[in-house]
């Protein structure tokens, strides 16, 4: 950018009709060690350098509670898994009158399902939003698709770093061309240099240097380069391969150095130990430039064909180094027309042939390096920053406030102030085996042991809480989740193909197979876990157990077991939409419930059975979620009609929620018990009404969900709160004259799940799970 251009641009930025005064950047930030953190830093500094009068600052995303020792650029901090911190950040950004918000988006850096917590911020900010997409998936999962569509809706401009990324946005997501900007990944502006002097400082003088750098992980494909080395060394024994970079911190936390150790073993097996250098550290930008300067051929053997951005690729290319790469999207575009050599994925033979092509032909190597450096001058950070400033200006000029999605229930009155979820009592009720069934007041009752029903509910809660943002102070959600899933896994009895239910305190199962209902609840929890469990390694176990347990439901006769299973199938299909077994079971079970309705219902009694007994609203909810079955239209109509009737009979004259009592239930042409009132009935009604609201958009359903939730808080027949605000427990029920003061697992989980669902409803989770 010339001095005249820079002066003109700055005048337009601060004096033009759509002047910029403050630019906020959202993303990971240094000293956090990841590519997004480096990019956010480099972009912010480059924009500030190009327009010194702009106030550039950062909202940084923390992946650990203690945060980082950030530089002064960082004025806001968000906790990755705390959705409330996103809303608070939005308030701060609005208050500071930021002219534009530059968002860095990558799946995995924001909390919630598929990073959905970011949407809590985007829907609240009032300034133009320019989102840089570091990954553009051509085959997204359902949750990723929904999150991406919302990001597109809330963004004035979408920046991609390669033309192929723009193609995917247009073809897969239907984004109009005027909303897409192609701006290359920025690189440092370094002079073209010979490799000799830099090699000396690393002790590899006189050798040919191959380099791969970046945070290590299995997707890097480095093993294929190691397997290519013997053939390369046979012709060029002077070759040394430097593998530069620390193991990715997330991988390190999950698996330790397993991947790096596997590479070291592979080096020994291939007899190339004297030709490979592992430099296990996160290098500074200055050190990295020195390593690149010492490099003859850079290799990116990545295995992800859809990778549309690689900062390491452009930095090395722009520094004037020859590149051998697998044909992921960014590499295809950057290295086309002979600017580098592309090789097939996972092909050591092709890698060795490509490297030898350069090493055997020094003149070709030099021409390629000089050409790459010349092309790279268009990608230096100064030029990239200028392109972003132009983009920010256009976003401001064309900014229109999008139609923000406000939950329908908000229009009915003041938003319900929900209690904060507390897991103290849940943690107290849980030991290393699972959650105890019962409590004596607030003390776990060992005498009755454990059951699959409650551990399934507890695992469901963990999945919901992970979408909300994770742990309570001093309590590890992952640890609880692991305990409950371990119990579910142990409950599976492969001999009879069923889940057991009851286990005594001595850890002995009391039966070979549990009830149909407990089997259905297990499938519900496991289907949900297959899509939402944290950590992701739990999802594979959930999917395996779900698939093993699914076949048994074909012989079930319990309508509620069918309903619970349908809820699990709905969640499972989010993770595995192609599952033929799940789709077939969904069709059969939905049809069974439809037949029950058709055989029993009448205008005066629009219900599935001659009695409305327990967890009634789950039957309605299950049919509402059967959107992929051929009977979905009829199923949803029945679900809505039966739920509306259920709402009408579970209400006091003064308008509070009154669940059907367990002392007699509600029988056609018979009595209607008002007590004892059970927390699971309120929870089931909340879930079903929120589901109906999502499908219909009718605020009536949110009002009914709110009415049912207020039952926990004291809007009930006795005007007594059932929930314990200090520890998060819940009384076991409401008698005609008093509370049942025991706080067992079923009741506590009913309250906590209801609270989680109401919280997610007031700040919607785009997965719809």
């Amino acid at each position: 950018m010339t001095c005249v251009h820079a002066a003109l641009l700055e005048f337009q930025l601060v004096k033009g009709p759509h002047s910029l005064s403050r630019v906020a950047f959202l993303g990971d930030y240094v000293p956090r060690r990841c590519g997004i953190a480096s990019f956010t830093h480099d972009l912010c500094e480059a924009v500030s350098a190009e327009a010194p009068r702009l106030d550039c600052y950062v909202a940084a995303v923390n992946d650990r509670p203690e945060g980082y020792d950030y530089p002064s650029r960082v004025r806001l901090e968000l906790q990755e898994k705390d959705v409330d911190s996103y809303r608070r950040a939005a308030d701060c950004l609005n208050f500071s009158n930021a002219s534009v918000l530059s968002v860095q988006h990558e799946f995995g850096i924001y909390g919630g399902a598929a990073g959905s917590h970011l949407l809590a911020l985007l829907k609240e900010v009032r300034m133009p939003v320019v989102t840089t997409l570091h990954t553009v998936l051509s085959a997204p999962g359902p949750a990723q698709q929904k999150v991406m569509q919302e990001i597109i809706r809330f963004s004035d401009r979408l920046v991609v770093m390669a033309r192929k990324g723009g193609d995917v946005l247009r073809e897969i997501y239907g984004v109009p061309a005027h909303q897409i900007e192609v701006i290359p990944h920025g690189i440092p502006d370094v002079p073209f240099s010979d490799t000799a002097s830099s090699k000396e400082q690393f002790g590899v003088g006189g050798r040919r240097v191959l380099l791969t750098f970046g945070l290590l992980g299995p997707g890097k494909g480095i093993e294929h380069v190691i397997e290519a080395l013997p053939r390369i060394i046979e012709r060029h024994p002077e070759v040394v391969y430097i593998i530069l970079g620390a193991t990715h911190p997330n991988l390190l936390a999950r698996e330790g150095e397993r991947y790096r150790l596997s590479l070291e073993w592979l080096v020994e097996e291939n007899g190339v130990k004297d030709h490979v250098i592992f430099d296990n550290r996160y290098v500074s930008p200055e050190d990295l430039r020195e390593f690149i300067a010492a490099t003859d051929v850079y290799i990116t053997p990545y295995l992800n064909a859809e990778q549309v951005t690689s900062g390491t690729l452009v930095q090395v290319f722009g520094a004037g180094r020859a590149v051998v790469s697998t044909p992921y999207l960014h590499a295809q575009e950057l290295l086309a027309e002979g600017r580098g050599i592309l090789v097939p994925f996972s092909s050591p033979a092709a890698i060795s042939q490509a490297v030898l092509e350069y090493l055997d032909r020094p003149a070709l190597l030099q021409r390629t390096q000089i050409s790459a450096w010349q092309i790279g001058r268009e990608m230096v950070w100064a030029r990239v920053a200028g392109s972003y400033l132009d983009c920010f200006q256009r976003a401001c000029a064309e900014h229109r406030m999008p139609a923000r999605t406000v939950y329908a229930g908000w229009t009915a009155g003041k938003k319900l102030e929900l209690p904060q979820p507390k897991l103290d009592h849940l943690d107290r009720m849980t030991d290393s085996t699972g959650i105890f069934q019962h409590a004596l007041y607030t003390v776990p009752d060992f005498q009755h042991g454990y059951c699959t029903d409650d551990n399934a509910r507890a695992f469901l809660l963990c999945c919901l809480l992970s979408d909300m943002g994770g742990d309570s102070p001093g309590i590890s959600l992952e640890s609880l989740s692991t305990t409950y899933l371990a119990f579910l896994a142990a409950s599976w009895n492969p001999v009879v193909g069923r889940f057991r239910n009851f286990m005594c305190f001595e850890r002995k199962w009391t039966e070979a197979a549990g009830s149909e209902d407990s089997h259905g609840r297990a499938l519900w929890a496991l289907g949900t876990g297959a899509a939402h469990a944290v950590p992701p390694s739990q999802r594979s176990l959930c999917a395996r157990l779900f698939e093993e347990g699914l076949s048994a439901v074909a012989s079930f006769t319990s309508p509620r077991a069918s309903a619970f299973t349908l809820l699990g199938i709905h969640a499972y299909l989010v993770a595995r939409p192609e599952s033929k077994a799940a789709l077939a079971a969904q069709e059969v079970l939905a049809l069974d419930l439809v037949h029950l309705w058709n055989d029993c219902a009448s205008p005066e009694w629009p219900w599935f059975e001659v009695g409305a007994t327990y967890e009634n609203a789950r039957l309605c909810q299950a049919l509402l979620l059967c959107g992929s079955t051929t009977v979905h239209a009829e199923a949803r109509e029945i679900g809505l009609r039966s739920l509306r009737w259920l709402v009408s009979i579970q209400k006091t004259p003064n308008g509070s929620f009154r669940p059907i009592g367990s002392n007699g239930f509600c029988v056609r042409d018979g009595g209607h018990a008002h007590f004892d009132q059970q927390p699971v009935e309120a929870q089931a009604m909340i879930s079903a009404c929120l589901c109906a609201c999502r499908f219909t958009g009718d605020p009536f359903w949110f009002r009914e969900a709110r009415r049912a939730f207020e039952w926990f808080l004291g809007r009930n027949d006795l005007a007594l709160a059932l929930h314990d605000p200090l520890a998060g427990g819940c009384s076991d029920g409401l008698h005609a004259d008093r509370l049942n003061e025991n706080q067992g697992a079923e009741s506590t989980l009913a309250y906590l799940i209801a609270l989680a669902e109401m919280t997610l409803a007031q700040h919607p989770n785009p997965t719809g799970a």
Side-chain angles (χ1 to χ4, degrees), residues 549-563:
L550 188 59
S551 60
V553 302
S555 61
F556 284 2
T557 59
S558 164
R560 282 155 190 79
S562 296

Side-chain angles (χ1 to χ4, degrees), residues 43 49 74 228 242 280 315 342 392 395 429 488 512 556 586 604 627 640 681 684 707 712 733:
L43 177 60
V74 176
I242 299 176
N280 182 9
Q315 183 169 353
L342 296 173
F392 295 160
M429 289 286 290
L488 294 178
F556 284 2
Q586 185 186 53
E604 298 77 25
L640 287 171
E681 301 306 319
R707 189 193 312 276
F712 287 104

Side-chain angles (χ1 to χ4, degrees), residues 44-127:
C44 179
E45 293 302 318
V47 168
S48 180
E50 285 301 298
R53 296 187 191 180
L54 280 183
D55 180 15
C56 296
Y57 62 95
V58 175
V61 181
N62 291 328
D63 62 343
R64 61 188 193 186
E66 66 271 26
Y68 295 88
D69 184 16
Y70 288 117
S72 59
R73 285 275 188 213
V74 176
R75 298 183 195 168
L76 302 174
E77 295 183 40
L78 297 74
Q79 290 300 325
E80 177 185 319
K81 295 183 178 181
D82 179 7
V83 69
D84 284 335
S85 73
Y86 291 76
R87 289 189 284 270
R88 290 192 294 270
D91 291 339
C92 291
L93 291 167
N94 291 332
F95 183 77
S96 69
N97 291 318
S99 306
V100 66
L101 174 63
S102 174
V103 177
Q104 309 310 312
H105 180 263
E106 175 67 279
F107 288 107
I109 70 170
Y110 299 107
S116 58
H117 285 359
L118 173 63
L119 304 182
L121 181 148
L122 293 182
K123 78 182 188 67
E124 297 293 340
V125 295
R126 295 296 177 256
M127 71 291 298

Side-chain angles (χ1 to χ4, degrees), residues 449-654:
Y450 320 83
C451 69
T452 293
D453 281 324
D454 291 334
N455 280 275
R457 292 181 176 109
F459 186 66
L460 274 170
L461 173 66
C462 291
C463 293
L464 281 168
L465 291 177
S466 72
D467 286 350
M468 289 172 56
D471 302 337
S472 284
I475 298 173
S476 168
L477 187 61
E478 182 176 332
S479 177
L480 290 174
S481 174
T482 300
T483 297
Y484 304 139
L485 181 55
F487 188 96
L488 294 178
S491 74
W492 174 245
N493 186 348
V495 177
V496 298
R498 291 283 297 276
F499 291 99
R500 292 168 284 216
N501 194 14
F502 296 110
M503 175 189 279
C504 66
F505 181 63
E506 291 77 20
R507 294 188 178 184
K508 295 179 181 178
W509 294 103
T510 64
E511 59 198 351
S515 66
E516 292 183 1
D517 282 9
S518 67
H519 191 101
R521 283 195 187 91
L523 290 176
W524 179 7
L526 293 167
T528 302
H532 292 269
V534 176
S537 58
Q538 292 185 359
R539 298 178 189 178
S540 297
L541 176 58
C542 289
R544 195 197 82 195
L545 291 169
F546 179 88
E547 291 163 0
E548 290 176 349
L550 188 59
S551 60
V553 302
S555 61
F556 284 2
T557 59
S558 164
R560 282 155 190 79
S562 296
F564 300 152
T565 303
L566 282 169
L567 296 176
I569 289 173
H570 172 76
Y572 185 74
L573 289 174
V574 171
R576 310 286 176 93
E578 75 291 344
S579 172
K580 294 180 180 178
L583 289 168
Q586 185 186 53
E587 187 87 12
V588 169
L589 296 176
L591 207 52
D592 285 347
L593 291 181
V594 169
H595 288 159
L596 276 177
W597 165 274
N598 289 332
D599 291 343
C600 184
S602 68
E604 298 77 25
W605 183 262
W607 194 243
F608 303 85
E609 306 164 289
V610 295
T613 54
Y614 61 97
E615 291 198 67
N616 299 293
R618 296 300 184 192
L619 303 179
C620 317
Q621 182 186 4
L623 288 184
L624 287 171
L625 290 174
C626 290
S628 61
T629 71
T630 57
V631 295
H632 71 276
E634 183 181 9
R636 285 187 177 171
E637 181 182 350
I638 292 170
L640 287 171
R641 184 177 171 189
S642 57
L643 184 59
R644 194 174 287 272
W645 174 77
L646 202 57
V647 163
S648 71
I649 67 168
Q650 296 191 112
K651 197 177 296 183
T652 66
N654 67 1

Side-chain angles (χ1 to χ4, degrees), residues 62 108 134 176 202 242 255 328 350 371 410 421 434 443 455 460 540 570 637 664 714 758 761:
N62 291 328
H134 292 258
F202 295 117
I242 299 176
E255 302 180 4
Y328 54 91
S371 174
W410 293 358
V443 178
N455 280 275
L460 274 170
S540 297
H570 172 76
E637 181 182 350
M758 288 296 292

Side-chain angles (χ1 to χ4, degrees), residues 670-716:
H672 181 155
H674 292 163
F675 296 96
D676 291 337
Q677 297 175 18
Q678 302 295 317
V680 288
E681 301 306 319
Q683 180 213 343
M685 181 60 77
I686 291 163
S687 298
C689 288
L690 292 177
C691 181
C693 192
R694 284 197 296 271
F695 282 125
T696 66
D698 187 345
F700 166 82
W701 295 112
F702 183 80
R703 290 195 297 271
E704 294 307 319
R706 173 175 174 158
R707 189 193 312 276
F709 185 77
E710 289 172 339
W711 178 87
F712 287 104
L713 306 183
R715 189 184 175 192
N716 51 49

